[in-house]
Amino acid sequence: MAINEEKLNAFMGQFVNDFGAVMHAATIVVGDQLGLYKALAEGPATAEELARRTHTDARYLREWLSAQAASAYVSYAPESQTFSLSEEQSFALAQEGSPAFIPGAFQITVAQFKAIPKMLQAMRTGLGVGWHEHDASLFHGTERFFRPGYAANLVSAWIPALEGVSGALNRGARVADVGCGHGASTILMAQAFPASSFTGFDYHEPSILHARDAAQKAGLDGRLRFEVASAKDYPGSNYDLVAVFDCLHDMGDPVGASKHVRDSLKSDGTWMIVEPFANDKLEDNLNPIGRAFFSASTFICTPASRAQEVGLCLGAQAGEARLRDVVTQGGFRHFRRAAQTPFNLIFEARP
């Protein structure tokens, strides 16, 4: 073997960074669930002071805080031996409603590690692993990770980018949110457009029960409904808007789902499709965002599709061209990219 020492050292440097990131992920989940970030956002503290604030053990916290400081998730002042959060760190780690809130992403990683035994079997046999077969941390983490992006963009940018949709929603429209999960997207729309009626559909009953509870807590349970149904059989017709958030690529038969959406819409209705950002060519997705989405797709999206009928397996990096093909096969004549963010592509489809 002809080993280039410089290239080997560069690769080993990447390994050390990745190994530290993987080990650090579990500490973020623990800190989030114990309320350590929120407590530290109240002001600088030593390990002992933070332990008193959070009713936790100071010796464990000293190690946890040191790990956070080594990862630059917490700031450390050697002269006072105190730890603190900068405004930016607090915005991302301690403020649940912020558009940059990230702890939910690490709950998803917990679910991936718990799925390793199932994925070993799936990759040997080609069988699927359904969304419902994952640990509950996936469902909660997905909502908490995606909700900030929806809160920052859905009402202010994505819906206005759709032709005539904002006006229709303000006047009063019928909306179906298909694959709604815990209902974050449905609730955001219902809060913004009180004249319209909303129904969220998902095949996963525990998620629907969670969504109903969330709607009640938000004081919206009388203005929107959540029902158990799949993308190919959800009830209702003459919808003004059907929305599908970050889940078309997870479906076993996205073409069949497209046909059902087409049949459920008014003749002048709109289908809003939100998908993970991806370019059409693999080589154009070999970047940090593609790395995250391809990894999630390996453990979550592709197995979910394979577990269903047809099992088309679009994957989380399907790209606009493949999505256009799926949508037009479903009977839609109009398809365009209406908006985008670094993490999402937003498409408008019309019959």
mmCIF file with all atom_site columns, all heavy atoms in Angstrom, residues 23 27 48 90 96 245 253 260 286 322 330:
data_model
loop_
_atom_site.group_PDB
_atom_site.id
_atom_site.type_symbol
_atom_site.label_atom_id
_atom_site.label_alt_id
_atom_site.label_comp_id
_atom_site.label_asym_id
_atom_site.label_entity_id
_atom_site.label_seq_id
_atom_site.pdbx_PDB_ins_code
_atom_site.Cartn_x
_atom_site.Cartn_y
_atom_site.Cartn_z
_atom_site.occupancy
_atom_site.B_iso_or_equiv
_atom_site.pdbx_formal_charge
_atom_site.auth_seq_id
_atom_site.auth_comp_id
_atom_site.auth_asym_id
_atom_site.auth_atom_id
_atom_site.pdbx_PDB_model_num
ATOM 1  N N   . MET A 1 23  ? -20.033 11.500 19.993  1.00 0.00 ? 23  MET A N   1
ATOM 2  C CA  . MET A 1 23  ? -20.056 11.376 21.445  1.00 0.00 ? 23  MET A CA  1
ATOM 3  C C   . MET A 1 23  ? -20.776 12.561 22.085  1.00 0.00 ? 23  MET A C   1
ATOM 4  O O   . MET A 1 23  ? -21.495 12.416 23.074  1.00 0.00 ? 23  MET A O   1
ATOM 5  C CB  . MET A 1 23  ? -18.622 11.278 21.979  1.00 0.00 ? 23  MET A CB  1
ATOM 6  C CG  . MET A 1 23  ? -17.853 10.059 21.504  1.00 0.00 ? 23  MET A CG  1
ATOM 7  S SD  . MET A 1 23  ? -18.549 8.485  22.094  1.00 0.00 ? 23  MET A SD  1
ATOM 8  C CE  . MET A 1 23  ? -18.032 8.535  23.806  1.00 0.00 ? 23  MET A CE  1
ATOM 9  N N   . THR A 1 27  ? -24.741 13.974 24.895  1.00 0.00 ? 27  THR A N   1
ATOM 10 C CA  . THR A 1 27  ? -24.719 14.945 25.996  1.00 0.00 ? 27  THR A CA  1
ATOM 11 C C   . THR A 1 27  ? -25.709 16.087 25.737  1.00 0.00 ? 27  THR A C   1
ATOM 12 O O   . THR A 1 27  ? -26.247 16.666 26.677  1.00 0.00 ? 27  THR A O   1
ATOM 13 C CB  . THR A 1 27  ? -23.307 15.526 26.210  1.00 0.00 ? 27  THR A CB  1
ATOM 14 O OG1 . THR A 1 27  ? -22.972 16.431 25.153  1.00 0.00 ? 27  THR A OG1 1
ATOM 15 C CG2 . THR A 1 27  ? -22.259 14.429 26.295  1.00 0.00 ? 27  THR A CG2 1
ATOM 16 N N   . GLU A 1 48  ? -21.369 23.789 40.542  1.00 0.00 ? 48  GLU A N   1
ATOM 17 C CA  . GLU A 1 48  ? -22.148 23.686 41.778  1.00 0.00 ? 48  GLU A CA  1
ATOM 18 C C   . GLU A 1 48  ? -23.390 24.588 41.727  1.00 0.00 ? 48  GLU A C   1
ATOM 19 O O   . GLU A 1 48  ? -24.476 24.186 42.170  1.00 0.00 ? 48  GLU A O   1
ATOM 20 C CB  . GLU A 1 48  ? -21.279 24.070 42.971  1.00 0.00 ? 48  GLU A CB  1
ATOM 21 C CG  . GLU A 1 48  ? -20.169 23.065 43.305  1.00 0.00 ? 48  GLU A CG  1
ATOM 22 C CD  . GLU A 1 48  ? -19.028 23.089 42.292  1.00 0.00 ? 48  GLU A CD  1
ATOM 23 O OE1 . GLU A 1 48  ? -18.888 24.125 41.565  1.00 0.00 ? 48  GLU A OE1 1
ATOM 24 O OE2 . GLU A 1 48  ? -18.288 22.091 42.216  1.00 0.00 ? 48  GLU A OE2 1
ATOM 25 N N   . SER A 1 90  ? -27.529 30.476 23.366  1.00 0.00 ? 90  SER A N   1
ATOM 26 C CA  . SER A 1 90  ? -28.829 30.418 24.018  1.00 0.00 ? 90  SER A CA  1
ATOM 27 C C   . SER A 1 90  ? -29.955 30.350 22.992  1.00 0.00 ? 90  SER A C   1
ATOM 28 O O   . SER A 1 90  ? -30.914 29.581 23.147  1.00 0.00 ? 90  SER A O   1
ATOM 29 C CB  . SER A 1 90  ? -29.018 31.646 24.915  1.00 0.00 ? 90  SER A CB  1
ATOM 30 O OG  . SER A 1 90  ? -30.319 31.675 25.466  1.00 0.00 ? 90  SER A OG  1
ATOM 31 N N   . GLU A 1 96  ? -36.797 27.383 22.956  1.00 0.00 ? 96  GLU A N   1
ATOM 32 C CA  . GLU A 1 96  ? -37.544 26.393 22.166  1.00 0.00 ? 96  GLU A CA  1
ATOM 33 C C   . GLU A 1 96  ? -38.261 27.021 20.969  1.00 0.00 ? 96  GLU A C   1
ATOM 34 O O   . GLU A 1 96  ? -38.411 26.384 19.945  1.00 0.00 ? 96  GLU A O   1
ATOM 35 C CB  . GLU A 1 96  ? -38.558 25.680 23.069  1.00 0.00 ? 96  GLU A CB  1
ATOM 36 C CG  . GLU A 1 96  ? -39.309 24.548 22.411  1.00 0.00 ? 96  GLU A CG  1
ATOM 37 C CD  . GLU A 1 96  ? -38.882 23.179 22.909  1.00 0.00 ? 96  GLU A CD  1
ATOM 38 O OE1 . GLU A 1 96  ? -38.279 23.095 23.992  1.00 0.00 ? 96  GLU A OE1 1
ATOM 39 O OE2 . GLU A 1 96  ? -39.155 22.201 22.203  1.00 0.00 ? 96  GLU A OE2 1
ATOM 40 N N   . PHE A 1 245 ? -45.608 18.102 4.098   1.00 0.00 ? 245 PHE A N   1
ATOM 41 C CA  . PHE A 1 245 ? -44.360 18.638 4.631   1.00 0.00 ? 245 PHE A CA  1
ATOM 42 C C   . PHE A 1 245 ? -43.339 17.537 4.889   1.00 0.00 ? 245 PHE A C   1
ATOM 43 O O   . PHE A 1 245 ? -43.540 16.669 5.745   1.00 0.00 ? 245 PHE A O   1
ATOM 44 C CB  . PHE A 1 245 ? -44.620 19.386 5.941   1.00 0.00 ? 245 PHE A CB  1
ATOM 45 C CG  . PHE A 1 245 ? -45.401 20.664 5.776   1.00 0.00 ? 245 PHE A CG  1
ATOM 46 C CD1 . PHE A 1 245 ? -46.787 20.654 5.838   1.00 0.00 ? 245 PHE A CD1 1
ATOM 47 C CD2 . PHE A 1 245 ? -44.752 21.872 5.568   1.00 0.00 ? 245 PHE A CD2 1
ATOM 48 C CE1 . PHE A 1 245 ? -47.511 21.825 5.686   1.00 0.00 ? 245 PHE A CE1 1
ATOM 49 C CE2 . PHE A 1 245 ? -45.467 23.052 5.414   1.00 0.00 ? 245 PHE A CE2 1
ATOM 50 C CZ  . PHE A 1 245 ? -46.852 23.028 5.471   1.00 0.00 ? 245 PHE A CZ  1
ATOM 51 N N   . ASP A 1 253 ? -45.640 4.755  -2.143  1.00 0.00 ? 253 ASP A N   1
ATOM 52 C CA  . ASP A 1 253 ? -46.219 5.011  -3.458  1.00 0.00 ? 253 ASP A CA  1
ATOM 53 C C   . ASP A 1 253 ? -46.528 6.494  -3.614  1.00 0.00 ? 253 ASP A C   1
ATOM 54 O O   . ASP A 1 253 ? -47.686 6.907  -3.581  1.00 0.00 ? 253 ASP A O   1
ATOM 55 C CB  . ASP A 1 253 ? -47.492 4.176  -3.642  1.00 0.00 ? 253 ASP A CB  1
ATOM 56 C CG  . ASP A 1 253 ? -48.107 4.308  -5.023  1.00 0.00 ? 253 ASP A CG  1
ATOM 57 O OD1 . ASP A 1 253 ? -47.436 4.855  -5.917  1.00 0.00 ? 253 ASP A OD1 1
ATOM 58 O OD2 . ASP A 1 253 ? -49.262 3.877  -5.206  1.00 0.00 ? 253 ASP A OD2 1
ATOM 59 N N   . HIS A 1 260 ? -54.120 10.771 -5.547  1.00 0.00 ? 260 HIS A N   1
ATOM 60 C CA  . HIS A 1 260 ? -55.181 11.004 -4.561  1.00 0.00 ? 260 HIS A CA  1
ATOM 61 C C   . HIS A 1 260 ? -55.270 12.488 -4.202  1.00 0.00 ? 260 HIS A C   1
ATOM 62 O O   . HIS A 1 260 ? -56.383 13.025 -4.036  1.00 0.00 ? 260 HIS A O   1
ATOM 63 C CB  . HIS A 1 260 ? -54.944 10.167 -3.309  1.00 0.00 ? 260 HIS A CB  1
ATOM 64 C CG  . HIS A 1 260 ? -56.078 10.223 -2.327  1.00 0.00 ? 260 HIS A CG  1
ATOM 65 N ND1 . HIS A 1 260 ? -57.339 9.756  -2.618  1.00 0.00 ? 260 HIS A ND1 1
ATOM 66 C CD2 . HIS A 1 260 ? -56.149 10.721 -1.062  1.00 0.00 ? 260 HIS A CD2 1
ATOM 67 C CE1 . HIS A 1 260 ? -58.142 9.952  -1.579  1.00 0.00 ? 260 HIS A CE1 1
ATOM 68 N NE2 . HIS A 1 260 ? -57.437 10.538 -0.620  1.00 0.00 ? 260 HIS A NE2 1
ATOM 69 N N   . LEU A 1 286 ? -22.944 16.285 -2.265  1.00 0.00 ? 286 LEU A N   1
ATOM 70 C CA  . LEU A 1 286 ? -21.884 15.784 -1.388  1.00 0.00 ? 286 LEU A CA  1
ATOM 71 C C   . LEU A 1 286 ? -21.305 16.950 -0.596  1.00 0.00 ? 286 LEU A C   1
ATOM 72 O O   . LEU A 1 286 ? -20.210 17.448 -0.850  1.00 0.00 ? 286 LEU A O   1
ATOM 73 C CB  . LEU A 1 286 ? -20.810 15.076 -2.225  1.00 0.00 ? 286 LEU A CB  1
ATOM 74 C CG  . LEU A 1 286 ? -21.325 13.907 -3.067  1.00 0.00 ? 286 LEU A CG  1
ATOM 75 C CD1 . LEU A 1 286 ? -20.179 13.243 -3.829  1.00 0.00 ? 286 LEU A CD1 1
ATOM 76 C CD2 . LEU A 1 286 ? -22.059 12.878 -2.197  1.00 0.00 ? 286 LEU A CD2 1
ATOM 77 N N   . ARG A 1 322 ? -36.811 14.436 -9.993  1.00 0.00 ? 322 ARG A N   1
ATOM 78 C CA  . ARG A 1 322 ? -37.545 13.220 -9.613  1.00 0.00 ? 322 ARG A CA  1
ATOM 79 C C   . ARG A 1 322 ? -38.894 13.571 -9.002  1.00 0.00 ? 322 ARG A C   1
ATOM 80 O O   . ARG A 1 322 ? -39.891 12.888 -9.242  1.00 0.00 ? 322 ARG A O   1
ATOM 81 C CB  . ARG A 1 322 ? -36.724 12.384 -8.629  1.00 0.00 ? 322 ARG A CB  1
ATOM 82 C CG  . ARG A 1 322 ? -35.468 11.775 -9.228  1.00 0.00 ? 322 ARG A CG  1
ATOM 83 C CD  . ARG A 1 322 ? -34.877 10.739 -8.304  1.00 0.00 ? 322 ARG A CD  1
ATOM 84 N NE  . ARG A 1 322 ? -35.691 9.534  -8.261  1.00 0.00 ? 322 ARG A NE  1
ATOM 85 C CZ  . ARG A 1 322 ? -35.573 8.577  -7.329  1.00 0.00 ? 322 ARG A CZ  1
ATOM 86 N NH1 . ARG A 1 322 ? -34.710 8.739  -6.336  1.00 0.00 ? 322 ARG A NH1 1
ATOM 87 N NH2 . ARG A 1 322 ? -36.335 7.511  -7.358  1.00 0.00 ? 322 ARG A NH2 1
ATOM 88 N N   . GLY A 1 330 ? -48.875 11.859 -11.316 1.00 0.00 ? 330 GLY A N   1
ATOM 89 C CA  . GLY A 1 330 ? -50.118 11.868 -10.545 1.00 0.00 ? 330 GLY A CA  1
ATOM 90 C C   . GLY A 1 330 ? -51.222 12.696 -11.175 1.00 0.00 ? 330 GLY A C   1
ATOM 91 O O   . GLY A 1 330 ? -52.334 12.750 -10.645 1.00 0.00 ? 330 GLY A O   1
#
